[in-house]
Amino acid sequence: MSNQPYEGRREGFDPYQQPQQPQHQEPQQQPEWPQHTQQWEGRTWETQAQPPVAAPDTSYPPPQGYQTYGEPQGYGGAVGVPLPPEAPAQPWTPGHAPDAGEAPDAGGPADPSRPGGTLPESVGDAGAGYGPATVIGQSRITDAQRARAEGRSPIIEPGMQPAALTALLALLLSGAAAIGEYALVVPLVLLQAVTAAGWFRLNGMWPARQGIALAFLGAVTADVALLAAGRENAPAAILGTLGVWVLLTLVLQLRSHADPDTRMYGLMATVVSAALSIIAAGHLAAEPDAVTVGAAAVAVAILARALPLPTAASAVVALLAAAGAGIAVGGMTDLGTRGAFLGLGAGACALIGHRVASYDYPSRFVHFTAGVALPLAAAAPAVYLLGRTLG
């Protein structure tokens, strides 16, 4: 074999120039298949000089002496696939269909001779235990949704510790009302602050400092208006402050750049929080004897409601305890036995607030804010109205 040298040398490398191959001869040996070469010219591949490559014949041979099995579409197999010679031809029956809870392509590798196109589990990957593949993740669900899905109640009532704090705050209101209205302002402001914070947390909006500050500022404004206008003008002071704060909240929410759903949710939460905090000022607007009797009845009712009893039984016991506390404390004031009606009304409103604070699988922080404040805030209208009626 003789080799001929290259004729000349390239001075530079040209990527668009076809490389020159050395000329040589193979010693009486031909390649078993044609050499496939690719030539680069500009932006395309030159393949005209290549002989066409014949694809192997992968088609099935025609059936010989046996029937073809036509499988209905939708069960994973191909239509018209012939059975093997050793398998007898059988018509398709509904018994071959997979179960409703079984995936048609589960159980092993594909087998066109079986309905569903799969081999038995013993032949395939037995015991794998994997579920069907997914392309999307599962969205996060709330604790309340999970509780409903598992058959549990989303209502979780505050325990004895929040009830004890409610009773302590109620006794402070009862004792401060007997001293004077300026002494009553101190525990009332604390009640309004906890009410504003607890309602936002009960609705899952935390931190919401601007909304809490706005609701608390409305409550303080209502207190100042009550002290300035007096008890005889209490409805005008409370309703006027509430109307101004609803309008202010609406204007602030319209200036927000959040999406409409978020703005509507924030508007409703802020308005309700401000309304509850302002309505709690009804303790300051009511008669001192009515506040003393009503707050004591709320304290006893909430403690009785926290006892480990069935819901219906504990509610009945709480109402009876509130009426009894109204009679006992009313005997120390000018209300006398009429305090039973006041205590019963205040206790019923307190149980409503207690139930609201238990809704939607609340957290521990909700129990120590809304669970403490809502019973007293909800009892304020009953204390004011019943106090004026019975007094």
Side-chain angles (χ1 to χ4, degrees):
M1 181 178 61
S2 60
N3 297 329
Q4 297 180 0
Y6 292 104
E7 296 180 1
R9 177 182 299 179
R10 294 180 296 176
E11 298 297 335
F13 174 73
D14 188 1
Y16 299 98
Q17 182 177 1
Q18 179 179 359
Q20 300 179 0
Q21 302 292 338
Q23 300 178 1
H24 59 277
Q25 298 179 356
E26 297 292 338
Q28 299 178 359
Q29 183 178 1
Q30 298 296 330
E32 298 179 359
W33 57 83
Q35 298 291 333
H36 304 286
T37 60
Q38 295 177 346
Q39 299 177 358
W40 175 258
E41 293 183 1
R43 297 175 180 268
T44 61
W45 289 99
E46 180 62 36
T47 58
Q48 296 179 359
Q50 301 178 4
V53 179
D57 187 8
T58 58
S59 61
Y60 289 98
Q64 300 177 1
Y66 52 87
Q67 300 178 358
T68 58
Y69 178 74
E71 187 181 31
Q73 296 182 2
Y75 285 89
V79 177
V81 178
L83 289 171
E86 65 273 11
Q90 297 178 358
W92 180 84
T93 58
H96 292 87
D99 297 337
E102 178 184 358
D105 56 347
D111 183 10
S113 65
R114 297 183 69 251
T118 57
L119 289 175
E121 186 178 0
S122 59
V123 179
D125 188 9
Y130 295 105
T134 57
V135 295
I136 58 174
Q138 183 180 9
S139 59
R140 184 184 181 277
I141 62 176
T142 62
D143 294 334
Q145 293 173 345
R146 183 181 297 106
R148 293 188 184 96
E150 295 175 357
R152 296 182 288 108
S153 174
I155 304 297
I156 296 181
E157 299 175 353
M160 183 58 71
Q161 293 180 353
L165 292 177
T166 302
L168 177 61
L169 186 57
L171 292 178
L172 289 177
L173 287 172
S174 180
I179 298 174
E181 60 180 5
Y182 289 99
L184 182 60
V185 170
V186 177
L188 179 61
V189 169
L190 178 60
L191 171 63
Q192 292 168 334
V194 178
T195 301
W199 184 258
F200 275 95
R201 189 64 186 93
L202 181 62
N203 286 269
M205 302 178 66
W206 186 267
R209 300 180 182 89
Q210 294 180 355
I212 294 173
L214 183 63
F216 178 68
L217 183 59
V220 173
T221 304
D223 297 340
V224 173
L226 279 172
L227 292 175
R231 289 191 177 94
E232 59 276 4
N233 298 319
I238 293 177
L239 294 178
T241 305
L242 183 59
V244 170
W245 243 251
V246 169
L247 181 60
L248 180 60
T249 303
L250 181 60
V251 171
L252 292 179
Q253 289 297 328
L254 290 177
R255 293 173 56 88
S256 175
H257 298 287
D259 57 278
D261 293 338
T262 303
R263 283 188 294 177
M264 179 60 67
Y265 193 67
L267 174 64
M268 297 305 298
T270 306
V271 168
V272 176
S273 178
L276 290 173
S277 302
I278 292 173
I279 288 175
H283 292 290
L284 186 61
E287 296 294 331
D289 292 343
V291 177
T292 301
V293 174
V298 169
V300 175
I302 294 301
L303 288 176
R305 184 66 178 83
L307 295 176
L309 296 174
T311 303
S314 62
V316 172
V317 171
L319 291 177
L320 294 177
I327 295 175
V329 180
M332 305 177 186
T333 62
D334 296 337
L335 290 176
T337 57
R338 292 173 297 176
F341 298 99
L342 179 60
L344 185 62
C349 293
L351 292 184
I352 294 175
H354 181 271
R355 183 69 173 181
V356 172
S358 308
Y359 179 70
D360 204 14
Y361 212 83
S363 64
R364 183 178 178 86
F365 187 87
V366 173
H367 285 166
F368 279 93
T369 51
V372 171
L374 284 184
L376 285 169
V383 170
Y384 173 78
L385 294 175
L386 292 177
R388 290 180 61 90
T389 303
L390 298 175

